[in-house]
Amino acid sequence: MNINELLKIKKKIILASKSPRREYLLKLLGLNFDIIPSNIDESQFILTSPSDFVETLSKEKAQVIANLHPDTIIIAADTIVWLENEVLSKPKSYDEAFKMLRKLSNNTHEVFTGITVLHKNATKIISKVSRTEVTFRYLTDEEIDAYIKTGSPFDKAGAYGIQDDFGAVFVSNIKGCYYNIVGLPLSLLYDILKEFQS
């Protein structure tokens, strides 16, 4: 018996994300799902706290898709990297990526993911937040330069992916869910999905 059979979810599922990492992680659970990215304007949302911010964004992403597919279970998530009261977003240039990785070097930051599961017709919505502490070892300029030149940092919050070859060796310690750092806390999602069993 796989997790999909264990969950006994008979409704159609939509992942409201274009992230290839979230798609990969959701497939690990053996779930059948479609992908419809939720393109909301994140700049309109005010950051009050990192946990409230990611939870709000995940809810908004889920709601946009649920309005179009009310009898479908929608899974949405939002992840940020948080260091010294600052959000480290996806870098837009080499210099920006270099500065982010230099800040992360020999330092501990936090990764927050808000996750929302919503079934509009059943008027059921659950939103939760996962937090993980991540510590980087000291990074040399040569290591940072080599990593940026792979192009990998540019589609990742905080300019790194723990699942990358470089990202894997940059991280010396984590406290919390590994999959949260990748972008979808699977244990938390599984617990939420149990509430949506048909």
Side-chain angles (χ1 to χ4, degrees):
M1 177 179 286
N2 62 28
I3 289 177
N4 191 35
E5 293 168 333
L6 192 63
L7 284 171
K8 298 183 181 69
I9 292 177
K10 296 184 176 68
K11 291 290 182 185
K12 183 179 175 184
I13 295 173
I14 291 176
L15 174 63
S17 174
K18 61 184 176 183
S19 164
R21 290 166 295 281
R22 290 196 181 115
E23 178 184 357
Y24 168 76
L25 292 176
L26 200 53
K27 283 179 178 175
L28 283 182
L29 296 184
L31 295 173
N32 299 314
F33 60 94
D34 293 326
I35 296 172
I36 303 178
S38 180
N39 299 312
I40 64 171
D41 179 10
E42 297 185 13
S43 64
Q44 65 179 309
F45 297 93
I46 298 170
L47 175 66
T48 51
S49 74
S51 57
D52 288 345
F53 185 69
V54 294
E55 185 174 2
T56 297
L57 283 176
S58 73
K59 282 180 182 176
E60 290 295 324
K61 289 177 179 180
Q63 192 64 61
V64 166
I65 304 303
N67 288 339
L68 301 172
H69 303 272
D71 199 32
T72 302
I73 294 172
I74 312 298
I75 299 172
D78 191 80
T79 302
I80 61 170
V81 174
W82 182 255
L83 176 64
E84 297 169 355
N85 295 317
E86 180 185 0
V87 175
L88 300 186
S89 306
K90 296 174 184 176
K92 297 181 179 65
S93 67
Y94 175 97
D95 288 344
E96 214 172 271
F98 196 97
K99 285 176 184 175
M100 284 187 192
L101 290 164
R102 174 52 57 223
K103 280 184 180 180
L104 293 170
S105 173
N106 205 34
N107 211 340
T108 297
H109 62 277
E110 297 167 286
V111 176
F112 291 86
T113 297
I115 186 163
T116 295
V117 180
L118 168 62
H119 184 222
K120 188 170 182 178
N121 278 359
T123 62
K124 192 162 197 172
I125 179 170
I126 299 176
S127 293
K128 295 193 177 179
V129 176
S130 179
R131 173 187 166 274
T132 304
E133 289 184 9
V134 184
T135 301
F136 269 35
R137 64 171 178 76
Y138 175 77
L139 310 183
T140 66
D141 288 353
E142 182 182 22
E143 288 170 325
I144 294 174
D145 174 70
Y147 182 44
I148 295 171
K149 285 177 177 173
T150 68
S152 186
F154 296 106
D155 70 336
K156 297 174 180 72
Y160 80 96
I162 193 171
Q163 70 280 2
D164 295 344
D165 48 3
F166 276 98
V169 298
F170 288 170
V171 174
S172 62
N173 189 55
I174 70 169
K175 185 178 179 182
C177 176
Y178 165 82
Y179 293 110
N180 180 46
I181 308 167
V182 184
L184 198 63
L186 292 183
S187 177
L188 180 60
L189 175 60
Y190 176 72
D191 285 341
I192 295 172
L193 287 173
K194 285 193 290 186
E195 300 296 319
F196 284 79
Q197 290 177 335
S198 300

